[in-house]
Amino acid sequence: MTFARDPNNDDAAADCHIDTWACADDCDVRSFSLVRQCDVRGLLHCHTDYAGGAHPLRSIVDTARALELDYLGVTDKAKIDDADEGLCLEGIAYQRSEIRELNEEFKDLVLLHGIEVEAAVDGSLPLPDHVLDEFDYVVATLKDDHGLDAAGFTARALRVIMNPFVNILGHPCGDWMTTCSGVPLDLETILTAAAKAEVAVEIDANPCHVDLDWTHCAKAQEYGVTLIIASDAHRAARLADYRHGVELARQAGLCCRQILNTRPLDDVRAFFNR
Ligand SMILES: [Zn+2]
């Protein structure tokens, strides 16, 4: 396995000395360089066998440590109805206690407890505010299009973004990039709202999703949106898929300063606690 954070490995070293953008401001040169694999300090979207993932949390943690990540956010899906395999309240509490134990056991990786919630057709979320408030952060998704047209889908996304408990907009194009051409939403409106609300927008690097594509990423940078590069892993080994997102971000010309999970953990927490 090629480790992501080792600047001495051949892949990373080949990246590391180039791509510095000219900068008129008096600020960190690194923040104006194209993002590299070795810049990614943590991942904020993955799944365990608590709810739909293939592997137990400990296996995910072992892989994250092998990748030399500083932090990992666990974001299993919230249960929506009785037929759904997502986390119920009891499962949430149990998972939180396991995360607490693992954080005490390992000092080289910090686990965050997040949750992925699929927005309803009207943009509301399936968990009450007091439950959402107990997570380190909330990833709201728009995976199911509910047959909405562009205006309806955009209005739904805007309600999600305006929810004060939402920190990350996941699957921002509705997970359609691999199956449909065109994006049935007003992306400019959504990106403008996300930048204003300080909601990060996800580059979902899961090869089955590839949502946003690089043209959307470039537009997000233009609008000043904070992005995350997410592997959305459902298996431990798939955590490494964030690298596809790095390549996509580089194609879009994204700098580290645009990408939340290139920042230290304290800065990530501060963003979530804004
Ligand atoms: Zn997910």
Side-chain angles (χ1 to χ4, degrees), residues 46-64 72 74-76 85 87 95 98 102 233-240:
C46 71
H47 299 277
T48 74
D49 65 357
Y50 273 89
H55 295 123
L57 178 53
R58 184 172 284 272
S59 298
I60 304 287
V61 167
D62 288 343
T63 303
L72 177 71
V74 180
T75 53
D76 279 319
E85 63 177 359
L87 275 178
Q95 185 176 65
E98 186 181 5
L102 289 166
H234 289 68
R235 307 180 67 84
R238 298 256 64 93
L239 279 178

Side-chain angles (χ1 to χ4, degrees), residues 45-47 75 77 116 141 171 202 204 209 232-234:
H45 187 168
C46 71
H47 299 277
T75 53
K77 293 172 187 166
E116 177 178 335
T141 59
H171 304 297
E202 176 182 73
D204 192 324
H209 300 160
D232 193 2
H234 289 68

Side-chain angles (χ1 to χ4, degrees), residues 132-212:
L132 295 174
D133 195 30
E134 291 176 354
F135 289 95
D136 291 314
Y137 65 100
V138 173
V139 181
T141 59
L142 304 163
K143 194 169 184 179
D144 188 341
D145 65 31
H146 295 285
L148 293 168
D149 61 13
F153 195 95
T154 302
R156 177 178 173 229
L158 289 177
R159 183 167 178 198
V160 169
I161 290 167
M162 298 314 292
N163 185 318
F165 294 97
V166 171
N167 304 105
I168 296 170
L169 181 65
H171 304 297
C173 297
D175 202 21
W176 297 342
M177 296 308 299
T178 53
T179 55
C180 297
S181 59
V183 182
L185 50 78
D186 181 348
L187 194 63
E188 282 85 355
T189 298
I190 290 172
L191 293 176
T192 301
K196 189 173 179 184
E198 295 186 72
V199 168
V201 174
E202 176 182 73
I203 300 170
D204 192 324
N206 182 319
C208 296
H209 300 160
V210 196
D211 177 6
L212 311 162

Side-chain angles (χ1 to χ4, degrees), residues 57-97:
L57 178 53
R58 184 172 284 272
S59 298
I60 304 287
V61 167
D62 288 343
T63 303
R65 295 177 69 223
L67 289 167
E68 299 184 339
L69 299 176
D70 294 341
Y71 51 87
L72 177 71
V74 180
T75 53
D76 279 319
K77 293 172 187 166
K79 192 179 186 70
I80 295 177
D81 54 43
D82 289 345
D84 189 64
E85 63 177 359
L87 275 178
C88 61
L89 294 180
E90 190 178 21
I92 289 170
Y94 194 83
Q95 185 176 65
R96 185 164 296 143
S97 68

